[in-house]
Amino acid sequence: MFSPKVLWSAPELNPINRKARSIPVLNPYDRYGRVFFFSWFGFFIAFWSWYAFPPLLTVTIRADLKLSTIDVANSNIAALTGTLVVRFIAGPLCDFMGPRKTFVAILLAGAIPTAMAGLVKNVGGLIALRFFVGILGGTFVPCQVWSMGFFDKNVVGTSNALIGGWGNSGGGITYFVMPLLYDSLRIDRGLGSHVAWRVAFIVPFILIVATAVGMLLTCQDTPTGKWADRERHTQELLDAHLQQMGTVVPVPGSGNPTASNSSLGGHTSPYEDVDSKDTKQHESRRQSMDVAKGEMSTIHDHEMQLDQQQMLDIARGETVVKPSGKEALAVIFSMQALFHCATYLCSFGGELAINSYIASYYLKNFPYLGQTHAGRWGSMFGLLNVVTRPLGGVIADLLYTKVSKNLWLKHAWISFVGITSGAFLIAIGLTNPHNESMMFGLIAGMAFFLEAGNGANFALVPHVHPHANGIFSGTIGAVGNLGGVIFAILFRYHGTRYDTSFWIMGCMIVALNVAVCWIRPIPKGQIGGR
């Protein structure tokens, strides 16, 4: 049963990898709570700046730069293309130098073009600037990989969903905040429209830099310390816990010269065909190495007790290593990657495209709303991420932990929300509501299932190819962005016929989800991740 105390208490830890078994959401003083906070807030600020243009493009920037509908559409595509490139790079970078440093690097790189928004003079400059501001969208990959490194399998789906959902809500906040900033600068400060929208972009720039510095100075790479030492630390912890059994297990990549392969059957591959059923847990108290202090100490009550098979699984399959080119290709082109790429292309790609056009759709069907009020109603779609995306991950975790330890349940939940979101999109497109209650109600229903799909997807991702989290997550994140580009092109082609774009998108989403629903949740014979 859930206890509210876990929201601020120091979490129970997995003694082998020191990952938390609960999420101290309200405790930023705890290192796990601090990583959780900076993961979601860093992505939130990045998403805000990444989508800061669309709320003002409906009227203000369009008029100032004399943009056509096609110009606006091209700038939306450019913003998504920039993110697509960075997400492909961010995955391997996370495996190479760790997600924290990758996160900081992307934030600082994206802050520079954000501050340069005031220099835009024409459509060419807008498209180029939005391409480079799109760098910020790449923060999704390190925020998820960082979460996977700090939170254990029982809560990592919830953690990823909360971080992604609260971060995604930046796309809703920006529809509310950017028009307010613009109106304040223009009305209260007396700035002209030409200057006011440019000055407004200084605010997200300051917040991005402050967040990156805080992340760099107050957080760490892994629960055990530096990224470069992760294999050695895991080996030390594992050796200490298996010492009483007379067994030493080599962690992949640790280079421990004293470790024997006997307990692994002479293999360190994460895909050996072994019996993964849990054995009886050992009740005796054992000693564990406190990596942070370099001392031996008795296992504390807040550390979870593991049996030998679970330890072997962690050592052999769940320690992130830098994969070879051949191993990376095997991960990228696996059937599981196809499933997650297809479903995330639908959910996150659809969300990105709709985020760019939702206010324009409202303004077309309800012209009396004006830019500011259309933006406020548009913010609803993004703000629902605060609840919907986390709920997608929480339900996936509950299905797995409370109903059955069967990953097909998480898999089926992804397919269900994907197909249902497509059905809502078809309904919106075919009815093209001109009644506010009907329009906003259908959009809210669609948003629930579409955004829950994002959380559900990354509740299953940590179970798949856990030794290559960075590459796998980066690939899925990038393809999700590719979906945004594809759907943005769809909107561009149909111009202001937003209803047509909606129902076509819905048909595509239903078809893709049905096409991949048969694929196994994890590769046959995979060790770890269960």
Side-chain angles (χ1 to χ4, degrees):
M1 182 178 290
F2 173 78
S3 170
K5 187 178 179 181
V6 301
L7 296 176
W8 59 81
S9 301
E12 177 190 50
L13 304 181
N14 181 320
I16 303 303
N17 53 28
R18 290 298 174 87
K19 292 183 182 181
R21 303 276 298 172
S22 60
I23 309 169
V25 175
L26 304 179
N27 187 357
Y29 294 101
D30 181 87
R31 59 180 171 177
Y32 297 93
R34 200 157 52 246
V35 166
F36 176 82
F37 169 77
F38 275 104
S39 292
W40 79 259
F41 190 74
F43 185 42
F44 170 87
I45 292 298
F47 213 110
W48 171 6
S49 182
W50 182 24
Y51 269 82
F53 278 95
L56 300 179
L57 270 171
T58 53
V59 176
T60 302
I61 299 177
R62 183 194 290 251
D64 188 37
L65 301 181
K66 298 177 174 60
L67 304 176
S68 67
T69 301
I70 297 298
D71 293 333
V72 173
N74 287 339
S75 76
N76 288 334
I77 294 169
L80 295 171
T81 304
T83 303
L84 173 65
V85 174
V86 174
R87 288 193 177 190
F88 270 120
I89 298 171
L93 276 179
C94 286
D95 287 339
F96 178 71
M97 66 181 188
R100 180 181 68 106
K101 292 177 182 176
T102 302
F103 207 154
V104 170
I106 293 174
L107 283 173
L108 294 178
I112 297 171
T114 299
M116 296 173 66
L119 302 178
V120 174
K121 302 296 182 184
N122 51 47
V123 62
L126 177 67
I127 290 173
L129 186 82
R130 292 201 66 191
F131 176 86
F132 287 106
V133 170
I135 290 171
L136 290 167
T139 53
F140 172 75
V141 177
C143 88
Q144 295 290 286
V145 176
W146 206 15
S147 167
M148 293 179 207
F150 273 79
F151 297 98
D152 215 7
K153 290 292 181 288
N154 67 310
V155 295
V156 71
T158 302
S159 172
N160 281 354
L162 286 169
I163 290 168
W166 293 358
N168 272 18
S169 68
I173 287 290
T174 194
Y175 267 100
F176 185 77
V177 173
M178 293 307 291
L180 280 181
L181 284 173
Y182 166 75
D183 288 343
S184 175
L185 291 167
R186 186 174 59 85
I187 298 171
D188 299 337
R189 300 296 177 181
L191 298 180
S193 177
H194 175 79
V195 176
W197 74 262
R198 290 172 163 83
V199 175
F201 280 85
I202 297 299
V203 176
F205 163 74
I206 294 171
L207 292 173
I208 291 168
V209 173
T211 302
V213 172
M215 192 181 296
L216 191 64
L217 297 180
T218 65
C219 299
Q220 58 191 59
D221 295 327
T222 73
T224 55
K226 295 181 179 179
W227 182 255
D229 299 330
R230 66 194 183 283
E231 294 98 349
R232 178 175 60 82
H233 287 160
T234 302
Q235 182 68 63
E236 290 171 347
L237 287 163
L238 185 64
D239 288 349
H241 278 268
L242 291 175
Q243 189 175 16
Q244 290 187 347
M245 305 173 194
T247 306
V248 180
V249 179
V251 174
S254 66
N256 189 337
T258 64
S260 167
N261 280 354
S262 60
S263 61
L264 295 177
H267 299 281
T268 59
S269 168
Y271 298 104
E272 284 301 309
D273 190 11
V274 297
D275 180 8
S276 63
K277 292 183 179 179
D278 293 344
T279 58
K280 185 178 179 181
Q281 290 192 351
H282 299 277
E283 299 297 334
S284 59
R285 295 174 67 84
R286 295 168 293 192
Q287 289 187 319
S288 65
M289 177 68 76
D290 188 330
V291 175
K293 298 180 180 179
E295 300 172 350
M296 295 296 291
S297 61
T298 302
I299 292 180
H300 299 290
D301 290 338
H302 68 278
E303 286 191 343
M304 182 185 68
Q305 302 295 310
L306 295 179
D307 60 52
Q308 185 176 5
Q309 186 61 55
Q310 289 172 319
M311 294 180 189
L312 296 180
D313 285 350
I314 291 169
R316 297 164 68 181
E318 297 187 15
T319 301
V320 176
V321 296
K322 289 180 281 189
S324 65
K326 183 178 179 181
E327 291 170 335
L329 288 175
V331 169
I332 293 170
F333 291 101
S334 66
M335 295 302 293
Q336 287 66 37
L338 174 62
F339 171 80
H340 284 283
C341 286
T343 53
Y344 199 63
L345 179 149
C346 294
S347 61
F348 191 63
E351 180 185 345
L352 292 178
I354 292 169
N355 244 334
S356 297
Y357 288 95
I358 189 71
S360 297
Y361 190 13
Y362 288 162
L363 199 58
K364 180 192 175 186
N365 282 21
F366 313 109
Y368 52 85
L369 289 176
Q371 175 179 268
T372 299
H373 286 89
R376 287 175 181 174
W377 277 110
S379 70
M380 177 191 72
F381 178 74
L383 286 173
L384 281 171
N385 269 295
V386 173
V387 176
T388 54
R389 183 162 184 158
L391 199 58
V394 169
I395 291 174
D397 277 352
L398 289 175
L399 288 171
Y400 179 66
T401 58
K402 303 298 183 183
V403 179
S404 171
K405 295 284 187 178
N406 189 333
L407 292 175
W408 274 105
L409 291 174
K410 286 191 174 186
H411 185 282
W413 171 239
I414 295 171
S415 298
F416 171 75
V417 294
I419 293 169
T420 306
S421 68
F424 266 94
L425 284 164
I426 293 170
I428 293 168
L430 293 180
T431 58
N432 190 27
H434 283 74
N435 174 276
E436 287 187 22
S437 299
M438 185 176 179
M439 170 68 90
F440 299 147
L442 285 172
I443 290 290
M446 177 271 295
F448 174 84
F449 290 101
L450 191 74
E451 294 163 3
N454 296 330
N457 218 302
F458 272 83
L460 179 57
V461 164
H463 297 273
V464 190
H465 305 299
H467 67 292
N469 269 340
I471 288 178
F472 192 60
S473 300
T475 301
I476 295 163
V479 174
N481 229 79
L482 176 61
V485 174
I486 293 170
F487 293 135
I489 292 172
L490 175 67
F491 275 97
R492 179 190 183 280
Y493 179 78
H494 289 98
T496 57
R497 291 178 293 159
Y498 304 116
D499 55 316
T500 304
S501 299
F502 264 69
W503 74 256
I504 293 175
M505 186 194 305
C507 292
M508 293 170 65
I509 288 174
V510 170
L512 271 174
N513 275 275
V514 171
V516 299
C517 66
W518 57 272
I519 296 173
R520 295 171 59 93
I522 61 175
K524 187 176 181 179
Q526 174 184 291
I527 296 174
R530 292 174 174 82

